[in-house]
Amino acid sequence: MRLWTGGYTARSNGNATGIGILTAGAADEILAGGQLRFRGNAVAAEASPSWLSAHPTLDVVYAALEDAGTVRAYRRTGDATFEPFGGPVEAGEAVCHLAVAPDGGSLVASCWGDGHVVRMSLDAAGRPSAPVLGVAAADPYGPDAAPAEFSGALDLSGGVHPHRGGDLTSGVDLSRGVDLADAARALRAATGDEYRDLVPDYDVESAAPEPADVVEDAVPRASRAHQAVFLPAGLVATTDMGWDLVRFWRPAESGLRAVQQVVLPRGSGPRHMVWHPSGHLYVVTELSREIFALAPDVTGRWRIVTGTSLGAGMLDDDAAAEIAASRDGEFLYAGVRGSNTIATVRVRGAGDALAPIALVDAAVDWPRHHVVVRDTLLVAGQRSDEVASLTLDLRTGVPGRVRHRVETPTPTCLLVAKQA
């Protein structure tokens, strides 16, 4: 099997020099458990092609040139070679992700540096052009935001929220202006005496907190767009890691039309998402190291239906990275940088229940990205300059022993190549 690798170049203190070629076993195999070999560059690219996405029908790959803030297309010219196809197109500061529409007519770029969400048209040959900037996000926890705007669904089955100190109101949908006093009274009545003390006294008048009680963010908050996913029915979902948002859009002639946003807990840092056949969108949070499940209600409005920690044993400064699903959708895999582990979470019920089951060694330093290929998990170690392949137990879903590893210059993305 052949894969293309994205990576950081010298401009980002990395060792990559372009889009790389990685093989797992024979190039035409459908399994990825064979010997790993890095075979050099498919095409040179100096400005850190940190994310790669493929056109759905054409032999064209798109690179987010993170250091340059641009998107560029590369056309396949041989078995394992590409050439630049058209010029670079401006996206935004530190563009870090690209998603190509299923019909091949457009792509959406996400920019970590300035929070830009940009839609670009793709012509019949696959060349990008005409970037249109989506409307900027606003901090839902900023000084001008409505209070308690967290958009969720109350779920007492798992007890208190693992990262919110037992605040049961973290699961109340207040996006439509529910009165906090009424919400507190309703929660107290619903939870009974067992959880009564955990419900804040929003229905009891109290003095404003002293300035010393105000918690300031250790790092100033800023918009940080990080990923886009095309969903059924023409929707696009994007994450804003800095402002704890999942935003929903519809493509329009003018670019993207914002239709809704779901607010996650403050400081959680939604990073990447994966669409599940059950109709749920699973979101991994970089900072709080959790997975949230989002789904539309009967009116089509999206909200949080459940969430879970990635499991015990992580370090306080760990940061989650990629999320991917097993082939049958029964398991989710999240990479954790710092402790350098892979968390396995089981999907239960109708997709609306999640249970962490294992946290295992990722076998690399700084697992930036990973992909599932049948019974193999391929993990890119950004700081150890290598890619490792791990077995996947198809019964338990848990990654096991290391099959193979290979030196790969500062890998940040793995893209399974189309068969020639």
Side-chain angles (χ1 to χ4, degrees):
M1 172 170 285
R2 183 178 288 115
L3 300 96
W4 314 123
T5 65
Y8 281 139
T9 65
R11 291 173 60 171
S12 289
N13 299 315
N15 300 312
T17 55
I19 298 174
I21 310 163
L22 183 73
T23 56
D28 58 352
E29 287 184 6
I30 62 172
L31 300 177
Q35 180 68 45
L36 296 175
R37 294 181 175 85
F38 183 74
R39 301 182 179 275
N41 284 341
V43 63
E46 296 180 354
S48 294
S50 63
W51 187 268
L52 308 174
S53 291
H55 192 282
T57 58
L58 304 172
D59 269 338
V60 176
V61 166
Y62 303 93
L65 300 177
E66 188 166 333
D67 288 326
T70 60
V71 173
R72 191 156 199 183
Y74 295 88
R75 178 173 54 187
R76 194 166 176 176
T77 57
D79 187 43
T81 57
F82 287 88
E83 66 178 5
F85 188 43
V89 181
E90 294 289 333
E93 184 180 348
V95 56
C96 61
H97 186 272
L98 305 173
V100 183
D103 64 3
S106 64
L107 65 78
V108 175
S110 300
C111 304
W112 185 89
D114 52 22
H116 285 179
V117 176
V118 184
R119 182 178 184 266
M120 299 180 184
S121 298
L122 301 178
D123 67 17
R127 284 181 292 254
S129 64
V132 179
L133 180 63
V135 63
D139 188 353
Y141 295 103
D144 299 325
E149 202 176 330
F150 174 65
S151 304
L154 181 63
D155 179 8
L156 300 180
S157 60
V160 298
H161 192 284
H163 290 284
R164 300 297 173 269
D167 181 3
L168 289 176
T169 61
S170 65
V172 181
D173 183 357
L174 299 172
S175 60
R176 299 187 182 182
V178 176
D179 182 82
L180 286 177
D182 288 344
R185 284 189 288 269
L187 279 170
R188 197 169 287 109
T191 58
D193 292 338
E194 182 179 0
Y195 294 103
R196 175 175 294 275
D197 293 339
L198 299 178
V199 180
D201 294 328
Y202 289 132
D203 53 337
V204 178
E205 293 187 5
S206 60
E210 296 295 326
D213 296 330
V214 177
V215 178
E216 298 291 341
D217 291 302
V219 178
R221 290 171 65 83
S223 180
R224 306 288 190 194
H226 215 293
Q227 193 203 27
V229 172
F230 281 85
L231 304 177
L235 279 177
V236 179
T238 64
T239 55
D240 193 306
M241 198 192 86
W243 282 349
D244 305 312
L245 293 171
V246 176
R247 308 176 73 194
F248 294 89
W249 314 74
R250 286 198 181 278
E253 290 185 7
S254 58
L256 291 170
R257 178 173 60 88
V259 295
Q260 194 202 339
Q261 67 181 27
V262 173
V263 183
L264 272 66
R266 182 182 179 121
S268 55
R271 178 181 172 94
H272 278 197
M273 305 170 284
V274 63
W275 171 252
H276 193 265
S278 66
H280 293 81
L281 182 66
Y282 298 119
V283 185
V284 67
T285 56
E286 177 171 335
L287 304 179
S288 65
R289 303 173 298 279
E290 298 167 279
I291 295 177
F292 289 93
L294 277 60
D297 60 20
V298 293
T299 69
R301 188 167 183 82
W302 287 78
R303 61 202 311 260
I304 297 169
V305 296
T306 193
T308 182
S309 166
L310 294 181
M314 288 176 287
L315 306 176
D316 289 342
D317 57 354
D318 276 350
E322 181 62 294
I323 180 172
S326 61
R327 188 183 182 195
D328 60 6
E330 186 177 356
F331 302 98
L332 303 173
Y333 302 100
V336 182
R337 298 163 294 176
S339 59
N340 296 332
T341 51
I342 301 291
T344 304
V345 174
R346 186 187 294 272
V347 178
R348 297 184 181 277
D352 56 354
L354 301 172
I357 60 172
L359 192 67
V360 303
D361 189 351
V364 299
D365 186 4
W366 213 249
R368 171 66 177 263
H369 188 241
H370 58 266
V371 294
V372 176
V373 182
R374 294 178 183 257
D375 65 344
T376 303
L377 185 71
L378 294 159
V379 187
Q382 178 184 325
R383 293 184 177 175
S384 54
D385 288 270
E386 63 183 337
V387 172
S389 60
L390 282 65
T391 60
L392 286 177
D393 187 313
L394 298 182
R395 181 180 61 84
T396 67
V398 178
R401 64 180 178 83
V402 176
R403 279 179 165 157
H404 303 283
R405 63 173 71 244
V406 64
E407 292 186 7
T408 306
T410 320
T412 58
C413 178
L414 302 173
L415 175 64
V416 178
K418 296 177 183 177
Q419 297 294 327

